[in-house]
Amino acid sequence: MNDEHRQKSFWRTYVFSLDHKVIGLQYLFTSMAFLLLGFAFILLMRWQLAFPGRPLPLIGGLLPDAIAPGGVMLPALYNQLGAMHGTIMIFLGVVPLGVGFFGNYFLPLQIGAPDMAFPRLNMSSYWVYALGGVVMLLSFVLPGGPAQSGWTSYPPLSVVNPGQTVWLLGMTFLITSSLLGSINFIVTTVNLRAPGLTWRRLPLFVWAQLITAVLLLFAFPVLQSGAILQLLDRVAGTSFYIPMGLVVGGKMLERAGGGSPLLWQHLFWFLAHPEVYVLVLPAMGIVSEIIAANTRKPLFGYTTMVGSMVFVGVFSFLVWAHHMFVSGMKTSLSMFFMTTTMVISIPSVAILSCLLFSLWGGKIRFTVPMLFALAFLPMFGIGGLTGLPLGFLPTDIYLHDTYYVIGHFHYVVVTGTIIALMAGVYHWFPKMFGRFMDDRLGKIHFWGTLVGMNGIFMPMFIQGLAGMQRRLYDPTVQSHNLTTQFLSPYQLASAILLLLFQFPFLYNFFKSMTKGAVARENPWDATTLEWACPSPPPHGNFTSVPAAHRAPYEYSVPGRPKDFWPQWEKN
């Protein structure tokens, strides 16, 4: 056991811990809180979209007149909630949950390591992330309020709008946290693998986390640079993004001159498209682990899936400008990015196909984590397929900036990624706490979540195809939106349904931590190394140094007495 793990005080054990598992749980609880907060914001926005101009129920009367006179949300508040919803859900919710929690807790276990390579760097990464979250929240009480330029923060709006300076400072902390974490993940995977755990024996979850870390390492510095330039535009009088002759409120902006708003779009999307794969790859890794354990057969196309993940990682840096087809770029450039966007869909389809083929001939166990994993396949498939028209220049011109885009993105990130992350929580809960979550409550959570999510996002495709634009405070001001306005109350009801069905999950989670049925070390009869350590794992994780003797998914091997052959067993 490393001396660094001999922590005695409460503060060193639970607050400023160097243990990767404690840090992982800190990410889990913090990101879950932010997800609920971000979801609360969108509930308020959904009310405004469903019933424009009507007072917000329950809390409307409590809000100050400056932002909601008579309880009716003003456009500025709507914009603030929209910007903070996107920022919180992506940078403070889903990524910290998928990478910060799952990566921190399970990557060292799956490679047989006692901890991350740099425990202090790991702890710093969490606290810098938490500080970024606090800064974002503080913007609600500071003069000017929170940012209101969307999570994309396009200039010149983001340069002249209030609240953006604090957003940029908060993003600086979040980006720094991601960089510290990604370096740690890469070094840990390269240097701390157990004896015998060669690259071809790595579980797909580890591959997914490793590639995700590389994406973060190369993509985030670009956004950081762009954010610094935007900060200088706001506080130092520069004009990197402010064009010549910009008029704001009927007056010419004095410091305007020579800048290009499109420069920010290039820098932002150079990060933001790889960011989509930062969201999706950990989900794919989690689903792979669950499907292998619950079909009792090896994953179909292990090498193809690893190669596809690597290909996606590399090509994700070559597709960013398909978000900017309507910005007036040259036709030849549009053709290049249209082609690369179509090409990158191939490995994504390959991964999804391999997961589907893995089901064929399997002895499927319909456990709660398996239900979530199975739901991921069609839900992510819908998200991926609906993205193709947005990669084609002719169709994107019509669909750009409509609710179709919102529907596509949320099918990828919510019904795809978050469903998979929920699957991972149920799958590895017995390892974290040595107990099972309740199956009945888990199935209630699953069905309610699946229905609620689809009730919100599926109508968005209809609204988008009908021409309904995103970011509209009041959709009814455009007559063509009236034909689909009847869908908005149903979407609000689905959002409320989705919220209600999270309570069984929260109750189940916290109750099962201490009162769930006791689980043995390897309750799913799985094969990867994390199931070789005690549940919950002690400091240092393993009672003896494990070794990997075979590939990660040796299920139903002919001639074996059991239908699983763990990596750590010699024979």
Side-chain angles (χ1 to χ4, degrees):
M1 183 185 296
N2 193 309
D3 285 338
E4 291 177 342
H5 294 117
R6 299 181 189 281
Q7 301 150 355
K8 303 295 183 184
S9 72
F10 171 83
W11 290 99
R12 295 295 294 173
T13 303
Y14 297 107
V15 181
F16 298 109
S17 174
L18 301 180
D19 189 324
H20 71 100
K21 301 180 292 296
V22 176
I23 296 170
L25 291 175
Q26 289 174 326
Y27 270 111
L28 170 65
F29 294 125
T30 311
S31 59
M32 283 173 60
F34 276 118
L35 284 174
L36 287 173
L37 180 64
F39 189 68
F41 290 168
I42 201 63
L43 277 177
L44 299 178
M45 296 174 67
R46 276 275 139 219
W47 173 269
Q48 166 63 24
L49 291 171
F51 306 108
R54 293 194 198 176
L56 291 163
L58 302 178
I59 66 165
L62 304 176
L63 298 176
D65 286 347
I67 57 175
V72 179
M73 181 187 300
L74 287 177
L77 176 59
Y78 182 86
N79 288 338
Q80 290 170 344
L81 294 176
M84 296 309 291
H85 165 74
T87 302
I88 286 174
M89 296 300 273
I90 294 173
F91 297 112
L92 289 162
V94 180
V95 173
L97 184 60
V99 181
F101 162 56
F102 281 103
N104 256 304
Y105 203 108
F106 297 107
L107 184 141
L109 295 179
Q110 283 209 327
I111 64 172
D115 206 321
M116 299 292 279
F118 306 118
R120 285 187 170 78
L121 197 68
N122 205 19
M123 179 188 71
S124 303
S125 174
Y126 169 75
W127 282 107
V128 173
Y129 152 72
L131 184 59
V134 170
V135 170
M136 288 290 184
L137 295 181
L138 278 177
S139 66
F140 280 93
V141 296
L142 292 175
Q148 48 184 284
S149 306
W151 79 285
T152 54
S153 294
Y154 278 4
L157 196 62
S158 58
V159 176
V160 299
N161 261 348
Q164 190 69 19
T165 300
V166 178
W167 187 90
L168 290 167
L169 291 175
M171 284 302 299
T172 300
F173 287 116
L174 297 177
I175 292 171
T176 302
S177 166
S178 293
L179 293 177
L180 296 178
S182 59
I183 292 169
N184 215 354
F185 279 34
I186 294 169
V187 175
T188 300
T189 307
V190 171
N191 290 323
L192 296 188
R193 284 173 287 129
L197 192 65
T198 61
W199 293 105
R200 293 185 64 83
R201 289 178 175 176
L202 280 183
L204 278 168
F205 174 80
V206 176
W207 273 111
Q209 291 287 342
L210 176 63
I211 296 167
T212 299
V214 173
L215 292 182
L216 287 170
L217 188 62
F218 284 99
F220 258 131
V222 177
L223 179 64
Q224 182 77 307
S225 305
I228 290 172
L229 298 184
Q230 191 176 116
L231 189 63
L232 290 174
D233 274 5
R234 291 184 60 85
V235 302
T238 59
S239 58
F240 290 103
Y241 302 123
I242 305 176
M244 185 74 73
L246 179 66
V247 176
V248 178
K251 297 180 180 178
M252 183 173 293
L253 203 64
E254 293 183 0
R255 55 196 171 91
S260 169
L262 286 182
L263 172 61
W264 167 263
Q265 293 192 29
H266 282 289
L267 297 175
F268 178 84
W269 288 114
F270 186 81
L271 157 89
H273 201 84
E275 177 78 3
V276 173
Y277 297 100
V278 168
L279 298 168
V280 169
L281 284 174
M284 289 176 167
I286 291 168
V287 169
S288 301
E289 300 299 317
I290 295 170
I291 286 182
N294 286 282
T295 55
R296 317 306 295 163
K297 63 191 283 280
L299 284 174
F300 181 90
Y302 170 88
T303 305
T304 301
M305 292 176 73
V306 172
S308 297
M309 287 183 180
V310 174
F311 188 91
V312 161
V314 174
F315 243 65
S316 66
F317 290 103
L318 299 174
V319 299
W320 80 89
H322 73 237
H323 296 275
M324 303 165 56
F325 281 152
V326 298
S327 66
M329 70 171 66
K330 293 170 60 177
T331 305
S332 57
L333 204 56
S334 298
M335 290 298 294
F336 171 78
F337 283 107
M338 189 170 70
T339 305
T340 55
T341 303
M342 293 301 108
V343 170
I344 202 173
S345 66
I346 297 173
S348 300
V349 171
I351 294 171
L352 200 60
S353 300
C354 287
L355 292 173
L356 281 170
F357 293 148
S358 297
L359 302 175
W360 183 260
K363 301 171 185 174
I364 298 177
R365 301 186 304 200
F366 291 97
T367 60
V368 173
M370 186 61 171
L371 290 176
F372 278 97
L374 289 173
F376 167 85
L377 302 178
M379 295 297 103
F380 178 75
I382 293 172
L385 288 173
T386 53
L388 293 179
L390 300 174
F392 274 117
L393 178 60
T395 44
D396 179 71
I397 289 175
Y398 176 75
L399 294 171
H400 185 86
D401 229 5
T402 67
Y403 263 88
Y404 183 95
V405 181
I406 307 293
H408 153 68
F409 182 71
H410 281 78
Y411 262 93
V412 172
V413 174
V414 181
T415 57
T417 297
I418 291 184
I419 281 278
L421 298 182
M422 288 174 175
V425 170
Y426 283 100
H427 181 66
W428 278 306
F429 189 90
K431 179 53 61 183
M432 292 188 286
F433 301 106
R435 295 177 183 275
F436 286 107
M437 294 179 74
D438 183 85
D439 261 8
R440 184 172 57 86
L441 289 174
K443 289 175 181 175
I444 291 172
H445 175 223
F446 167 74
W447 287 110
T449 299
L450 192 65
V451 171
M453 286 180 172
N454 281 282
I456 301 170
F457 305 126
M458 187 62 78
M460 289 182 180
F461 294 126
I462 301 170
Q463 293 167 327
L465 289 168
M468 182 173 172
Q469 292 175 303
R470 61 196 293 192
R471 300 193 181 100
L472 276 181
Y473 164 72
D474 181 358
T476 61
V477 298
Q478 295 179 342
S479 58
H480 69 270
N481 291 335
L482 298 178
T483 56
T484 57
Q485 179 61 21
F486 73 97
L487 293 170
S488 290
Y490 292 105
Q491 290 171 286
L492 172 65
S494 298
I496 294 172
L497 182 76
L498 179 58
L499 174 67
L500 293 177
F501 275 92
Q502 302 317 301
F503 290 113
F505 166 72
L506 293 173
Y507 173 77
N508 194 5
F509 185 96
F510 288 107
K511 182 185 177 186
S512 300
M513 285 173 61
T514 55
K515 299 187 182 303
V518 175
R520 53 190 171 88
E521 288 182 2
N522 189 4
W524 308 119
D525 292 335
T527 55
T528 42
L529 288 180
E530 78 271 29
W531 302 104
C533 64
S535 302
H539 292 307
N541 298 334
F542 298 89
T543 52
S544 61
V545 178
H549 300 283
R550 59 193 57 82
Y553 307 115
E554 294 294 320
Y555 290 99
S556 303
V557 177
R560 296 289 303 174
K562 297 181 293 187
D563 67 349
F564 68 108
W565 196 0
Q567 278 189 298
W568 63 91
E569 286 187 4
K570 286 186 179 178
N571 298 304

